[in-house]
Amino acid sequence: KINAIRALEWITSCMQLVALHVEKLPLGTFLWELVYPKGPGDLPIYNTSGKYGVRIFEHGSWRFVLVDDRIPFDADGAPLVPVSNASLELWPLLLAKALYKVSVRSGGGLIDEEAVLHHLTGWTPQRVPISDSMPRHAIYDFLQQRIGQGDAVIGLALRADPSAEEASALAGVGMRAGPLLG
């Protein structure tokens, strides 16, 4: 159950990161624009059959993944995918189901954290491990250079099990992936 919760938090955080950087996406590739069928205004519409196509970036190109609109729940009745408070807003559910399907199909287990952002956007994530042994100015300079070039969206992923010292240093910072700066 913990893996499912972490996967759900990661997917949701990646969707938030994408939403904060919509200007970096090619036209027609924003989150809900990846869901088919479409209606007026190029917005996804409800399909009475419950079947949808979702464009996911995989193996170097955009591909369609077919999913249904059934919501999976855990034993306690909590949804295992992001859902919206708006009952007819299905795109978070459909995107998450497509991500899970691609992850399982590629052997990535429940969800391959590094691939989520890539599948949603086509962006190639670069993991930059940060440790106490790295000079802080070098980390800052690297991030500033990438942001200055306009080719970076920066997110922060924190360990789920920080030490007491790390937890104290991170007071006020949520313990999940999320946008940092851009």
Side-chain angles (χ1 to χ4, degrees), residues 32-51:
W32 55 76
E33 295 173 327
L34 302 174
V35 177
Y36 293 81
K38 294 183 182 275
D42 213 25
L43 294 173
I45 59 171
Y46 177 72
N47 188 356
T48 56
S49 73
K51 303 287 184 189

Side-chain angles (χ1 to χ4, degrees), residues 139-154:
I139 297 166
Y140 179 81
D141 291 347
F142 172 78
L143 296 176
Q144 275 299 117
Q145 176 188 14
R146 297 304 301 266
I147 291 171
Q149 293 170 353
D151 65 353
V153 171
I154 298 174

Side-chain angles (χ1 to χ4, degrees), residues 42-173:
D42 213 25
L43 294 173
I45 59 171
Y46 177 72
N47 188 356
T48 56
S49 73
K51 303 287 184 189
Y52 296 84
V54 178
R55 287 179 57 210
I56 295 290
F57 198 83
E58 182 182 29
H59 302 297
S61 64
W62 291 100
R63 303 176 189 278
F64 270 100
V65 177
L66 298 177
V67 296
D68 62 45
D69 60 7
R70 293 178 291 174
I71 302 172
F73 293 92
D74 67 12
D76 298 324
L80 293 171
V81 291
V83 293
S84 173
N85 290 333
S87 61
L88 292 179
E89 188 174 55
L90 298 176
W91 66 266
L93 158 77
L94 301 171
L95 284 177
K97 288 186 81 168
L99 289 167
Y100 281 124
K101 193 171 189 177
V102 168
S103 180
V104 169
R105 185 171 62 205
S106 66
L110 184 57
I111 199 77
D112 178 359
E113 292 178 348
E114 294 178 358
V116 171
L117 198 58
H118 181 67
H119 289 314
L120 289 175
T121 62
W123 300 337
T124 304
Q126 178 183 6
R127 183 174 282 214
V128 180
I130 298 174
S131 71
D132 289 336
S133 64
M134 296 176 72
R136 301 228 188 273
H137 68 84
I139 297 166
Y140 179 81
D141 291 347
F142 172 78
L143 296 176
Q144 275 299 117
Q145 176 188 14
R146 297 304 301 266
I147 291 171
Q149 293 170 353
D151 65 353
V153 171
I154 298 174
L156 174 65
L158 303 172
R159 287 199 310 255
D161 56 346
S163 68
E165 182 180 315
E166 290 169 326
S168 174
L170 294 169
V173 177

